[in-house]
Amino acid sequence: MMSADFLLELRCEEIPARMQAKAADDLARLLGEALGAAGLKPEGLTVYATPRRLAFIARALPLSTQAVSEEFKGPRTSAPPQALEGFLRKTGLTQDQLEDRDGVWFATVEKPGRATADVLAEAIPQVVRAFPWPKSMRWGDASLSTESLRWVRPLQGIIALLGNEVVPFAIEGIATGRTTRGHRFHSSGEIAIESAATYADQLRAAYVIVDQEERRAIIARRAEELAAQAGLELIPDAGLVAENAGLTEWPVPLLGRFDAAFLEVPPEVIQLTLRINQKYFVLRDESGKLANAFICTANIEANDGGTAIVEGNGKVLAARLSDARFFWEQDKKTKLADHAQKLSRITFHEKLGTVADKVERVATLARWLVEEGIVGASNTSVTPADAGVQAPTAQPQPATPLDSRVRGNDEERKALADLAEQAARLCKADLVTEMVGEFPELQGLMGGYYARAEGLPDEVADAIRDHYKPVGQGDEVPTAPVTVAVSLADKLDTLVCFFAVDEKPTGSKDPFALRRAALGCIRSILGKQIRGSLTIALLSASYLWYVQARSSERRSAFAEAYFGLESALGKPATFEQVVAFAEARLGVDDRQAAPGHRATRDLLDFFADRLKVQQREAGVRHDLIDAVFALGGEDDLVRLLSRVHALQSFVSTEDGANLLAGYKRAANILKKEQPEGGKPQSQLGEEDPGEALTDPDMAQAMREHEAHFAAAAPAYALEPAEAALINALDEAEPRAEAAIAAEDFEGAMAALATLRAPIDAFFETVTVNDADPIKRQSRLSLLTRIRAAVHKVADFSKIEG
Amino acid sequence: MQDKASTPLSFQQLILTLHDYWAAQGCVILQPFDMRVGAGTFHPATTLRSLGPDPWNCAYVQPSRRPTDGRYGENPNRLQHYYQYQVIMKPSPPDLQDLYLGSLKAIGIDPLLHDIRFVEDDWESPTLGAWGLGWEVWCDGMEVTQFTYFQQMGGFDCKPVAGELTYGLERLAMYIQSVDSVYDLVFNDAVGDRPAVTYGDVFLENERQLSKWNFEVADTEKLFRWFRDCEAECQASIAANVPLAAYEQAIEASHVFNLLQARGVISVQERASYMGRVRDLAKGSCEAWMKHNGWAE
């Protein structure tokens, strides 16, 4: 079959650099699909993008589409004549062209091949009219109508060449041809392109390098050479290479210098000015420090070798750097504490008061996190690999003692708390500085510089600098205790406040970056093995917000109250217990407090979701996280995750799988035997026990009652398997409990594993639903006991499979 | 910057050269609008004339006031009063970029010696309810012109689209004359024993006094009242079907709002609401203008 190369060039005014790569991909995809739909298969596709053109080349494209013959099955020959007429109309044939096969009409329709040029002339205008530019516009005379062609910038010319021939068509008055234009300044007049094969070379002769990869390579290589010649090292920046390649058709990197006196400004400021504002490459000297040099990328081979261009760029840069130095000097004249005064003029969010209000809350919360020992100097730091991406089957970590809160010595803790509060009070102050006004992306970083410049302690400066971290996925997680306290307090406050005023993320919309804040908390907590109840931390944060909105007196009383409750219980309090306790002790008005509490509950679910997403990558099963979260009381993320890890190892063993099967069987029987809508008999039932039991005393009473009931000796002769199961439970329960208390979840699983054989035997030989109501009741309570024993580790009903 | 033979253009010669160039392209050379505005775009010759189907080509210098940019004459690059050179061509001609590059050559910028680039920069004016796509034009890394194809003005689609060029005259002149401070710009050339005058000779004292007035002196009570008066007068003028008069009140309100901002008496929350009020006035005037001309329902 005859074939030829096809070239399409869409020439327009300057396409934004950031849009070129996707536009090239879209063009290849859409035209490739159009060709494919016509059955045309080229040997290969190439796309080029420069600021002024998109080009598409299909190599060895068949000159016509295949003739196809299609067979259609028609009506039976005995069918009424209308059916046959309809079939003839549909196929466009006459009756004598049909074939009678065993009493059924068959038609063979021959579709001749189409000229490829016709296919292209039809397809290309459609692709151009519907091209998915992120932003497009109208222009010129045609724009009298809003229906006129839209393109990223005015479209000026179209080349469509199949072999050496122009494929004739027009889009909105722009007719195809073979002429284009070369470089804006190095070439004049029109260039007649011979064919796809000569396109790139003909344009190269006119100072246009059409291949974006080649332009990128030139920029990267030449910039390196210039750096080396100057005895400097280029700081590689692939994004900047691509952007400059998108701004030039004939890239010429040039090296310039700026006054070394500017280097007294923080290097990040200089780098931003160079990279973002001017699109210059940045260089280092041999000591690794920022060099007083830049590399710009011109679009011309200048007559004077680039001297004037370097000089001009140097002036622009000097003006910008003087502005930056002016800001740096000005900002330093005012202490951060004085800058912070102005935060009362900045709205944090219309429903949430000013940034000054936020700072006040964050300072209190940061201090509290340290004073309570939740964040301390000696938290074990773990590597990110351990924190986020630990393989569930890895060796179990040594058990952490239950009360692992770092109490440290009191003086040390007080000093740390003072630093945390001080850092928190200053952490947003740089928002009102001139520098951050000019470069918002330097928030935090500049505060750190200003803090150091005024002689504040390093811990404070570091905390101000790093408290926004971790921002992105790869971003480092803070580890210094003061930083962690401020960072966690800031994020918890943000989460609690936005949830309290019902500004939650929905779908893809997360305008206040709350998902990132929650993920940041999770990464900090896991990374630094921060122990404590998330519920209580969230409630404390929400209480601070709530109290601030009214008065500011009862804050610390509240925090103490929570911890008083916890030590009285000897274990983490449930959400309801905390709420009930808080309301009783502090006389918080029920009606007003309710939204904050509901928000906290929503927020816990939100954290659970974020944790599942974060752990998915590490291969942790989301249903197992649910199973542990469903216990209700477990909101210490570190312990929760170590429980999940143990659980995941366990359910993948044969013992685990069988125990799960036995559990499900027991749970199903119990479900059936307990009347619909009736109260569950056990506080550890599948339904959230907290829903029914809000009062801690009542919960305790129920627990005792159950224990008593289960222990009572049944008044009949036990069957052997029944007795064996009771013995096994008697033995396994205390073992599991002790192991859990020691946070040895592997041990707890091992204890549960001993139940597997007795449970299997029980189900094989014992009838639960015995005619004797005493036996039946006794066996049902044995099943309840199995369920309760298993629920000490996790809510197995949430486990899939 | 220039051919070695000739001296660089003075500030006024730069303006005259651009006038000559754009006049030769068929533009009406207008004089500045006699009201205080923040940019050349506010001139009714741009805002209102970019609406409707009639062709319109013009060029003018517009003194522009940005009270918050005042620096008491102490910053070499920032002014509360400066000049923009504005060209508007409707419908946008197919060779507008080439015409623009021709104007750079006319003022002495050689594109084979200097690196001229069109860098994406879309334009939006919330107070005018307007937006367009285009570029900032870079000369050796410096932004010298804003180049925009208007898509909407006053909330109305531009039918047809106008092309707008806005040259920052001081910046361009500093570049051409190779000076580091705006106050050192040569305003005119010496003739005989009549000496050349600098930009500083003409405007330095204005910057000092007006910065002080903008930031410290202006009576905010009166400004607030003034804003409300302009607002009421604009609405009354719309009702009286005199949209050109209404539009003047809208731009006056816009400038008073800028003054209030410079005085630091508009809080962050109020800011959005004031901008919304100015936008309503501008859009209302544009709508009245469209109706008056029979271009809208």
Side-chain angles (χ1 to χ4, degrees):
Chain A
M1 167 153 303
M2 295 278 285
S3 71
D5 292 346
F6 172 69
L7 165 71
L8 176 74
E9 184 200 65
L10 301 166
R11 185 168 53 84
C12 65
E13 298 180 6
E14 275 76 355
I15 306 169
R18 67 187 171 94
M19 298 179 188
Q20 290 168 23
K22 181 173 179 295
D25 289 348
D26 286 338
L27 187 64
R29 177 175 55 82
L30 294 169
L31 286 178
E33 281 169 11
L35 293 175
L40 288 167
K41 288 194 185 62
E43 274 177 17
L45 298 182
T46 307
V47 275
Y48 296 128
T50 81
R52 296 176 72 201
R53 61 202 90 219
L54 292 177
F56 169 92
I57 291 174
R59 280 187 306 285
L61 193 62
L63 290 179
S64 61
T65 64
Q66 291 274 5
V68 281
S69 118
E70 258 184 292
E71 188 178 83
F72 295 94
K73 185 182 176 188
R76 301 191 65 80
T77 50
S78 58
Q82 294 93 323
L84 177 62
E85 275 165 34
F87 186 57
L88 291 176
R89 249 195 324 274
K90 181 185 148 203
T91 54
L93 299 180
T94 51
Q95 191 176 348
D96 58 313
Q97 291 171 301
L98 300 185
E99 191 188 337
D100 176 358
R101 269 188 235 157
D102 302 329
V104 178
W105 290 117
F106 277 85
T108 305
V109 179
E110 303 290 341
K111 269 191 172 169
R114 282 182 77 196
T116 296
D118 293 342
V119 173
L120 290 166
E122 193 177 287
I124 293 168
Q126 288 172 13
V127 168
V128 167
R129 284 200 186 91
F131 202 78
W133 291 109
K135 276 184 185 177
S136 60
M137 56 166 278
R138 299 173 294 115
W139 67 92
D141 294 342
S143 62
L144 202 49
S145 159
T146 48
E147 303 304 305
S148 67
L149 177 67
R150 304 181 76 92
W151 198 245
V152 62
R153 293 292 185 273
L155 183 64
Q156 290 179 320
I158 306 171
I159 292 179
L161 283 179
L162 186 57
N164 300 317
E165 302 296 322
V166 172
V167 179
F169 62 91
I171 304 174
E172 313 273 323
I174 305 168
T176 56
R178 62 168 71 244
T179 58
T180 185
R181 286 177 179 272
H183 189 278
R184 204 181 258 296
F185 305 114
H186 280 307
S187 164
S188 61
E190 294 186 329
I191 300 161
I193 300 296
E194 286 170 31
S195 70
T198 63
Y199 175 69
D201 286 340
Q202 282 187 276
L203 277 173
R204 186 185 301 276
Y207 285 80
V208 173
I209 295 166
V210 290
D211 186 345
Q212 54 280 6
E213 295 303 330
E214 188 183 344
R215 293 197 309 279
R216 287 180 195 187
I218 289 170
I219 294 168
R221 192 189 60 235
R222 188 65 194 134
E224 291 230 12
E225 287 169 5
L226 288 168
Q229 282 162 21
L232 299 171
E233 189 196 343
L234 182 76
I235 299 178
D237 190 334
L240 203 53
V241 170
E243 188 173 11
N244 276 297
L247 284 165
T248 48
E249 292 201 309
W250 192 260
V252 180
L254 297 166
L255 183 135
R257 293 278 182 174
F258 59 85
D259 187 344
F262 287 122
L263 291 173
E264 71 191 48
V265 178
E268 291 90 346
V269 175
I270 298 180
Q271 267 182 292
L272 263 186
T273 305
L274 264 68
R275 289 177 48 237
I276 308 298
N277 292 344
Q278 295 300 125
K279 309 186 198 304
Y280 299 158
F281 293 95
V282 183
L283 301 105
R284 277 191 285 252
D285 63 20
E286 66 271 12
S287 70
K289 284 209 186 107
L290 197 64
N292 65 324
F294 66 90
I295 291 176
C296 61
T297 310
N299 189 33
I300 54 167
E301 203 84 69
N303 289 344
D304 65 350
T307 312
I309 295 175
V310 168
E311 194 192 330
N313 278 283
K315 279 194 166 207
V316 179
L317 182 59
R320 284 200 183 269
L321 290 177
S322 327
D323 265 1
R325 184 167 57 185
F326 176 76
F327 295 150
W328 168 243
E329 300 293 343
Q330 280 302 110
D331 290 343
K332 278 195 300 181
K333 286 181 189 163
T334 307
K335 291 200 161 182
L336 278 180
D338 295 326
H339 281 302
Q341 301 285 321
K342 292 180 217 143
L343 293 174
S344 57
R345 288 193 223 149
I346 300 183
T347 307
F348 172 55
H349 178 274
E350 54 175 330
K351 294 180 194 162
L352 296 170
T354 68
V355 178
D357 295 335
K358 179 177 176 52
V359 164
E360 183 65 32
R361 296 190 301 267
V362 173
T364 311
L365 193 58
R367 173 163 206 105
W368 178 82
L369 287 169
V370 177
E371 281 180 342
E372 285 306 323
I374 296 172
V375 175
S378 40
N379 287 90
T380 349
S381 287
V382 296
T383 62
D386 290 335
V389 292
Q390 186 184 39
T393 48
Q395 284 294 311
Q397 288 187 308
T400 328
L402 173 63
D403 187 11
S404 69
R405 292 233 180 88
V406 187
R407 297 286 173 182
N409 78 48
D410 282 353
E411 255 170 55
E412 192 184 307
R413 187 136 42 93
K414 172 152 188 330
L416 212 53
D418 287 345
L419 289 172
E421 183 178 342
Q422 186 186 12
R425 290 198 182 284
L426 301 177
C427 72
K428 305 291 179 191
D430 65 358
L431 293 179
V432 297
T433 60
E434 301 246 20
M435 191 70 91
V436 174
E438 191 76 9
F439 300 108
E441 55 271 68
L442 292 181
Q443 63 177 10
L445 186 87
M446 288 319 299
Y449 274 111
Y450 295 136
R452 241 175 285 272
E454 67 176 86
L456 294 173
D458 279 343
E459 293 95 324
V460 172
D462 290 348
I464 295 171
R465 183 189 62 200
D466 295 335
H467 81 280
Y468 292 104
K469 290 183 180 174
V471 177
Q473 196 143 45
D475 200 13
E476 62 181 285
V477 180
T479 55
V482 177
T483 309
V484 174
V486 178
S487 164
L488 259 188
D490 183 29
K491 292 177 177 69
L492 289 173
D493 175 72
T494 297
L495 286 163
V496 156
C497 290
F498 281 105
F499 268 66
V501 297
D502 209 24
E503 291 280 359
K504 300 170 201 166
T506 50
S508 61
K509 286 205 188 87
D510 184 11
F512 307 108
L514 301 184
R515 292 193 179 107
R516 194 169 73 192
L519 184 61
C521 290
I522 290 171
R523 289 180 62 200
S524 289
I525 289 168
L526 298 180
K528 206 156 154 59
Q529 299 280 290
I530 292 168
R531 308 299 307 268
S533 159
L534 187 59
T535 315
I536 290 173
L538 288 171
L539 272 171
S540 302
S542 81
Y543 189 73
L544 289 175
W545 176 72
Y546 168 69
V547 163
Q548 192 182 50
R550 304 169 69 208
S551 76
S552 54
E553 280 157 25
R554 281 178 294 181
R555 237 172 268 154
S556 55
F558 182 79
E560 273 166 33
Y562 277 177
F563 278 85
L565 168 68
E566 204 180 349
S567 52
L569 284 174
K571 56 179 252 176
T574 65
F575 182 84
E576 283 73 17
Q577 285 168 332
V578 170
V579 172
F581 196 87
E583 286 173 354
R585 283 288 172 85
L586 297 164
V588 173
D589 177 68
D590 213 333
R591 190 166 34 79
Q592 281 177 291
H597 295 147
R598 197 167 46 242
T600 307
R601 179 185 276 291
D602 290 350
L603 202 42
L604 277 175
D605 292 342
F606 185 66
F607 265 97
D609 284 343
R610 289 299 98 199
L611 185 68
K612 280 187 258 180
V613 171
Q614 192 237 3
Q615 290 290 318
R616 192 188 300 147
E617 263 178 48
V620 177
R621 282 168 52 178
H622 64 91
D623 58 326
L624 302 185
I625 294 180
D626 278 338
V628 177
F629 254 113
L631 291 179
E634 184 57 284
D635 61 0
D636 171 333
L637 293 184
V638 174
R639 191 168 53 205
L640 183 142
L641 206 57
S642 107
R643 216 179 251 247
V644 170
H645 286 157
L647 187 58
Q648 182 151 352
S649 308
F650 180 57
V651 295
S652 61
T653 63
E654 203 199 330
D655 275 350
N658 284 322
L659 182 70
L660 180 60
Y663 163 87
K664 292 217 158 163
R665 199 162 160 189
N668 281 338
I669 294 171
L670 285 171
K671 203 181 262 176
K672 217 178 291 168
E673 294 308 316
Q674 280 163 357
E676 202 61 32
K679 288 240 173 197
Q681 290 189 354
S682 163
Q683 72 139 353
L684 294 169
E686 283 156 10
E687 292 76 19
D688 184 349
E691 297 288 2
L693 295 163
T694 51
D695 176 30
D697 297 336
M698 191 162 148
Q700 186 57 35
M702 181 65 88
R703 205 178 297 132
E704 281 166 15
H705 168 76
E706 290 227 2
H708 175 78
F709 182 68
Y716 61 92
L718 294 174
E719 293 189 33
E722 200 175 3
L725 180 55
I726 291 171
N727 284 338
L729 278 165
D730 285 346
E731 208 167 297
E733 278 169 347
R735 267 184 62 201
E737 238 161 81
I740 287 167
E743 300 195 11
D744 171 13
F745 299 111
E746 302 283 336
M749 303 291 167
L752 289 184
T754 63
L755 293 175
R756 175 235 160 153
I759 289 174
D760 287 353
F762 176 82
F763 280 125
E764 253 168 57
T765 58
V766 181
T767 312
V768 175
N769 209 359
D770 198 278
D772 178 351
I774 295 175
K775 287 188 182 174
R776 181 172 165 275
Q777 193 51 49
S778 165
R779 285 165 189 169
L780 280 176
S781 70
L782 196 54
L783 296 188
T784 307
R785 222 180 128 188
I786 293 173
R787 189 169 65 176
V790 169
H791 278 196
K792 288 186 201 313
V793 172
D795 182 347
F796 271 43
S797 69
K798 305 281 183 200
I799 300 176
E800 291 166 7
Chain B
M1 314 283 123
Q2 288 273 290
D3 296 342
K4 291 204 172 60
S6 64
T7 52
L9 295 178
S10 65
F11 191 68
Q12 70 188 31
Q13 202 59 46
L14 171 65
I15 293 171
L16 294 172
T17 306
L18 288 172
H19 275 341
D20 281 346
Y21 180 85
W22 288 107
Q25 312 307 327
C27 286
V28 174
I29 303 300
L30 283 179
Q31 299 307 314
F33 193 56
D34 59 341
M35 291 181 74
R36 294 176 299 180
V37 294
T41 308
F42 281 86
H43 195 311
T46 291
T47 313
L48 297 181
R49 291 283 187 162
S50 65
L51 291 167
D54 300 338
W56 175 247
N57 301 289
C58 82
Y60 56 87
V61 174
Q62 181 61 48
S64 304
R65 302 254 194 165
R66 301 214 172 154
T68 46
D69 279 352
R71 291 292 183 274
Y72 297 85
E74 284 161 18
N75 183 303
N77 297 302
R78 291 203 194 216
L79 304 162
Q80 56 83 38
H81 171 281
Y82 63 101
Y83 290 104
Q84 288 189 340
Y85 194 93
Q86 176 90 356
V87 179
I88 192 96
M89 299 190 92
K90 183 178 87 168
S92 63
D95 56 349
L96 186 57
Q97 278 188 315
D98 289 334
L99 291 177
Y100 167 71
L101 292 169
S103 76
L104 291 189
K105 280 186 193 163
I107 58 175
I109 295 177
D110 176 357
L112 286 176
L113 204 53
H114 296 285
D115 186 34
I116 311 294
R117 228 85 71 67
F118 291 84
V119 180
E120 177 192 15
D121 190 25
D122 300 336
W123 172 82
E124 189 182 10
S125 169
T127 45
L128 288 177
W131 67 277
L133 299 192
W135 311 273
E136 51 182 42
V137 183
W138 282 19
C139 174
D140 296 341
M142 181 175 69
E143 184 198 342
V144 290
T145 304
Q146 184 78 36
F147 191 132
T148 307
Y149 290 103
F150 285 161
Q151 302 294 302
Q152 278 204 329
M153 179 60 75
F156 292 95
D157 283 325
C158 295
K159 297 189 287 186
V161 163
E164 181 208 46
L165 306 173
T166 305
Y167 304 72
L169 282 176
E170 283 82 356
R171 206 185 271 195
L172 202 52
M174 283 168 73
Y175 190 79
I176 293 170
Q177 296 184 17
S178 200
V179 299
D180 293 329
S181 167
V182 66
Y183 300 108
D184 294 337
L185 280 176
V186 174
F187 209 101
N188 67 329
D189 295 311
V191 176
D193 58 357
R194 286 163 219 145
V197 164
T198 67
Y199 194 93
D201 295 335
V202 183
F203 284 121
L204 181 56
E205 186 56 25
N206 300 47
E207 284 299 311
R208 288 179 184 144
Q209 292 191 19
L210 269 299
S211 291
K212 187 175 166 77
W213 187 79
N214 293 338
F215 287 125
E216 302 168 39
V217 177
D219 183 328
T220 56
E221 281 299 304
K222 290 200 186 87
L223 289 175
F224 277 120
R225 196 166 66 221
W226 198 347
F227 184 90
R228 288 192 299 271
D229 287 348
C230 291
E231 194 175 35
E233 194 59 22
C234 178
Q235 285 155 352
S237 305
I238 289 172
N241 194 22
V242 278
L244 285 168
Y247 180 71
E248 291 187 358
Q249 296 303 319
I251 55 181
E252 185 69 11
S254 173
H255 179 65
V256 175
F257 163 69
N258 289 341
L259 286 170
L260 284 165
Q261 285 239 102
R263 294 289 280 117
V265 289
I266 292 191
S267 71
V268 180
Q269 293 96 321
E270 287 172 319
R271 189 169 177 269
S273 130
Y274 270 93
M275 284 179 68
R277 285 162 75 177
V278 174
R279 180 168 54 244
D280 289 345
L281 298 180
K283 285 176 101 166
S285 305
C286 287
E287 192 185 350
W289 172 251
M290 293 286 286
K291 284 183 185 162
H292 184 85
N293 288 293
W295 299 326
E297 293 304 303

